[in-house]
Amino acid sequence: MALMMLLPLHEADIGLAMGISGTEVAKESSDIVILDDDFASVVKLLWVNLIMDTLGPLALATEPPTDRQMHRPPFGQSESPIITNIMLRNSLIQALYQVTLLLVLSFQGRSLLNLEGDTISHALKVKNTLIFNSFVLLQIFNEFNARKPNEFNVFKGITKNYLFMGIVGVTVVLQVIIIEFLGKFTSTVRLNRSNWLISVIIGFLSWPLAVLGKLIPVPKTPIGDILARFYQRGASRSSLYRRRE
């Protein structure tokens, strides 16, 4: 029986296991463990994964080439890593903002949202719903930042890309439907106007943060090459010390 559970988890791109009812073998072989055994968490993970890995890339893949790209000279594969220094800088800034914000909401959300007068269970649901909603909106707003990784005007030419706007619009509509009407499936509650406004503001702040981040210069040499050089220098120094000893 354990072997039958183990094989599908190994073959799956992302293996899921329940933290309470799942066996130790299943949990050790899984990529993600649902600690509370709540299937709603799986639904949320699938929805977030759909946004980040399917809808978002599909929207960005429809961006037409710019004049700057057409006039850029060709370069080899080794000269252009998949993750450039600019992309790494932007990703680290957004990740730091999102992780910090979500941790603050997780531990101090009840007091920050003035939910101390509500029951513990209802306040927890409202807080978790706002965290989930804010995280999704952060991904949607960040899709605009990803259009122009090194340009300040991320809205340039956006009205000509109907597919991008359509995908973003559909994502927003589906998120509203999930929060407002599918609470039984996702263990969420309806948010009032104030909480929706907070979620939108949280997502909106990623735009000015991205502008400030683009003021930070990055080296032209790929970060992988820089780290490789440091590693080689450290290895050569250690070998030199060993020879002296």
Side-chain angles (χ1 to χ4, degrees):
M1 185 66 180
L3 182 60
M4 294 177 63
M5 293 187 298
L6 185 62
L7 291 177
L9 289 173
H10 273 298
E11 293 295 331
D13 294 329
I14 300 178
L16 294 174
M18 295 299 179
I20 300 176
S21 60
T23 63
E24 291 298 326
V25 175
K27 287 187 283 187
E28 291 177 1
S29 303
S30 300
D31 301 296
I32 299 175
V33 178
I34 309 300
L35 298 178
D36 55 1
D37 278 20
D38 187 0
F39 188 75
S41 301
V42 180
V43 175
K44 293 177 183 178
L45 285 173
L46 291 175
W47 172 233
V48 172
N49 184 68
L50 181 64
I51 295 174
M52 300 181 68
D53 296 341
T54 304
L55 296 178
L58 180 61
L60 295 174
T62 60
E63 285 294 318
T66 61
D67 294 337
R68 180 180 179 182
Q69 292 173 327
M70 299 302 294
H71 290 88
R72 184 177 61 185
F75 48 82
Q77 184 177 0
S78 60
E79 301 174 3
S80 179
I82 296 177
I83 301 178
T84 63
N85 292 349
I86 294 174
M87 294 168 60
L88 184 61
R89 176 199 62 191
N90 297 346
S91 299
L92 289 176
I93 291 173
Q94 293 297 329
L96 181 62
Y97 167 61
Q98 294 183 21
V99 170
T100 302
L101 187 65
L102 296 178
L103 285 176
V104 170
L105 289 175
S106 296
F107 292 101
Q108 300 295 330
R110 189 178 178 188
S111 58
L112 292 175
L113 299 174
N114 296 322
L115 299 173
E116 296 177 342
D118 295 355
T119 61
I120 296 178
S121 60
H122 182 263
L124 184 62
K125 287 184 177 181
V126 173
K127 183 190 71 173
N128 290 339
T129 301
L130 187 135
I131 291 174
F132 169 62
N133 193 46
S134 300
F135 182 76
V136 171
L137 292 182
L138 279 168
Q139 312 317 311
I140 296 174
F141 276 87
N142 203 36
E143 288 180 12
F144 291 85
N145 294 328
R147 293 185 66 247
K148 309 289 183 180
N150 202 31
E151 297 182 21
F152 292 104
N153 185 11
V154 296
F155 304 103
K156 183 179 180 181
I158 197 171
T159 55
K160 299 179 181 179
N161 193 339
Y162 301 108
L163 188 56
F164 178 90
M165 296 302 298
I167 292 175
V168 171
V170 169
T171 305
V172 172
V173 171
L174 291 177
Q175 178 63 16
V176 173
I177 293 175
I178 289 173
I179 296 297
E180 296 296 320
F181 304 104
L182 299 180
K184 292 183 179 180
F185 298 97
T186 57
S187 295
T188 56
V189 294
R190 291 186 176 183
L191 297 177
N192 56 32
R193 293 181 179 179
S194 299
N195 290 334
W196 268 105
L197 181 61
I198 292 173
S199 300
V200 172
I201 291 175
I202 288 174
F204 174 81
L205 288 177
S206 65
W207 285 350
L209 185 65
V211 172
L212 294 176
K214 291 172 183 178
L215 297 175
I216 301 175
V218 295
K220 294 182 179 180
T221 305
I223 190 65
D225 295 344
I226 296 176
L227 295 176
R229 291 175 184 175
F230 278 110
Y231 177 77
Q232 292 175 356
R233 289 178 183 177
S236 60
R237 288 178 181 176
S238 61
S239 62
L240 180 62
Y241 292 148
R242 290 176 182 176
R243 290 178 182 178
R244 289 179 179 180
E245 293 177 354

